[in-house]
Amino acid sequence: MDPLPLVSIVCPAFEEEEGLPIFHRALKAALAQLEHRFRFEIIFVDDGSQDRTLDVLKSLAQIDPTVSYLSLSRNFGHQAALTAGLEHARGDAVVSLDADLQHPPAVIAELLHQWQQGHDVVITIRGDDQRLPWLKRFTSKAFYRVMGFFSETEIRVATSDFRLLSRKALQALLQLKEQHRFMRGLVQWLGFVVKEIEFQPDERVAGKSKYTLRRMIRLASDGLFSFSRTPLRVPIWLSGFFFALALLHAVLAGVSWLRDTGAAWHYLLVIVNVGIGCVLGSVGVVGEYLGRVHEQVKQRPVYLLKECELRPLEVGVAQRREAA
Ligand code: UDP
Ligand code: MG
């Protein structure tokens, strides 16, 4: 009999000493319902916490043989911690979720169900949570609107880092070596068959959110600048505006010359606007080159395969062709 498929559960944790034992208990209870169909390993990633998070993880690993842990040398941030966990996952599929119980472990059953239906990527969409502070809800919505406008990769509104990746999708994701990692975007960039499911986030079990405004801005700018070259194109658009102004003043200068009203300032404005247009245009051209360099240094694969079937060549075909 084939062994049950192995599923890795990856949980980044930064200063979560209070909540971790409660989270672990809730996670185990959810996984217990699924144990007749899957085997599980739980990988916690301590993201350089200053509190007792690592000690708590060590004691969890002592009482639970399915728990492994990694500890980063300092705080590298949520997306880096997730990457570390994913790199160490050994499962046929991997589920990532936050360690604060805001991502309800009960939803894992649905993620696994969708995986078994043949989806390589199952993402979750956060339902609107009225309990969250308004600033957080507003900034989150605004961010996805801006991303939707700028990004060359479609990023769905309110996607979270609670998701499942098949081994195939995980392997593809780990080929992306870029430094600034906005996982929600990277996962969409992969392609594959993506299934979305909605969930209602719960309240944080203990402690407070580690996503300060500064961190949120950093994550948003990683998302924006890694998935869009549009900001680099702004100078080109602006130069177009200034050239149009120059043209307008050129027309007005022509009209005043015909009428002999002699409005010299139109001539001056033509020169000034052409000058500004040229400077912005040149910056834009540099931006275009820079954009291409940026694409190149990210070193994303040129393509990813969904399937590939290369039939073995008939023995001797090549030789026979040569002889003919
Ligand atoms: N986290 C992390 N490193 C960080 C910040 C957060 O590993 O630098 C973890 C954190 O412990 C939690 C998850 O990432 O498991 C999401 O963070 P948080 O709950 O603070 O964010 P929010 O849910 O408020 O957006
Ligand atoms: Mg949280």
Side-chain angles (χ1 to χ4, degrees), residues 8 70 96 116 129 141 147 176 183 201 259 266 280 284 301 315:
S8 307
L70 317 168
S96 56
Q116 299 227 298
D129 185 355
K141 273 196 190 135
M147 277 300 282
L176 310 185
M183 296 295 235
R259 290 187 179 165
H266 284 308
L280 284 170
V315 190

Side-chain angles (χ1 to χ4, degrees), residues 42-268:
I42 305 172
I43 301 183
F44 284 105
V45 185
D46 161 37
D47 185 13
S49 309
Q50 298 287 332
D51 66 356
R52 290 186 52 259
T53 294
L54 182 57
D55 295 332
V56 175
L57 292 181
K58 285 180 179 167
S59 51
L60 288 177
Q62 255 168 15
I63 56 167
D64 179 356
T66 64
V67 167
S68 307
Y69 61 87
L70 317 168
S71 181
L72 308 189
S73 59
R74 64 167 170 84
N75 178 241
F76 282 88
H78 181 201
Q79 305 290 297
L82 257 177
T83 305
L86 295 177
E87 277 181 357
H88 288 80
R90 292 159 292 190
D92 303 303
V94 45
V95 173
S96 56
L97 80 166
D98 290 353
D100 58 2
L101 277 182
Q102 284 195 296
H103 296 160
V107 179
I108 294 174
E110 177 63 12
L111 293 175
L112 291 172
H113 173 70
Q114 295 300 341
W115 171 50
Q116 299 227 298
Q117 298 297 306
H119 298 107
D120 282 300
V121 177
V122 190
I123 61 171
T124 65
I125 309 284
R126 232 178 316 116
D128 196 14
D129 185 355
Q130 306 287 337
R131 291 162 304 189
L132 282 177
W134 140 151
L135 184 68
K136 186 138 190 161
R137 286 170 56 214
F138 172 77
T139 48
S140 166
K141 273 196 190 135
F143 166 69
Y144 284 107
R145 291 272 177 283
V146 173
M147 277 300 282
F149 178 72
F150 282 118
S151 172
E152 288 142 36
T153 304
E154 196 204 349
I155 295 164
R156 292 274 286 110
V157 176
T159 43
S160 75
D161 283 309
F162 184 15
R163 70 175 81 81
L164 176 142
L165 299 170
S166 68
R167 173 56 47 193
K168 187 160 63 173
L170 176 64
Q171 223 92 40
L173 179 69
L174 295 180
Q175 281 185 52
L176 310 185
K177 296 291 182 199
E178 59 206 73
Q179 286 285 315
H180 296 273
R181 302 185 76 76
F182 179 66
M183 296 295 235
R184 288 161 222 190
L186 294 178
V187 166
Q188 291 279 356
W189 183 89
L190 295 179
F192 294 112
V193 190
V194 179
K195 174 76 188 172
E196 290 171 9
I197 60 177
E198 212 185 294
F199 76 99
Q200 214 44 49
D202 280 333
E203 251 173 292
R204 199 169 225 291
V205 64
K208 49 182 200 306
S209 171
K210 311 302 178 306
Y211 267 99
T212 53
L213 189 61
R214 216 173 115 203
R215 277 172 197 265
M216 284 200 290
I217 291 172
R218 206 185 304 152
L219 181 72
S221 52
D222 278 350
L224 183 62
F225 296 126
S226 298
F227 286 91
S228 174
R229 281 184 291 176
T230 309
L232 283 172
R233 298 202 168 117
V234 170
I236 287 271
W237 299 340
L238 286 178
S239 81
F241 171 75
F242 282 99
F243 280 125
L245 265 187
L247 192 68
L248 177 73
H249 284 290
V251 171
L252 292 175
V255 170
S256 62
W257 178 72
L258 282 178
R259 290 187 179 165
D260 214 8
T261 48
W265 57 281
H266 284 308
Y267 295 102
L268 188 67

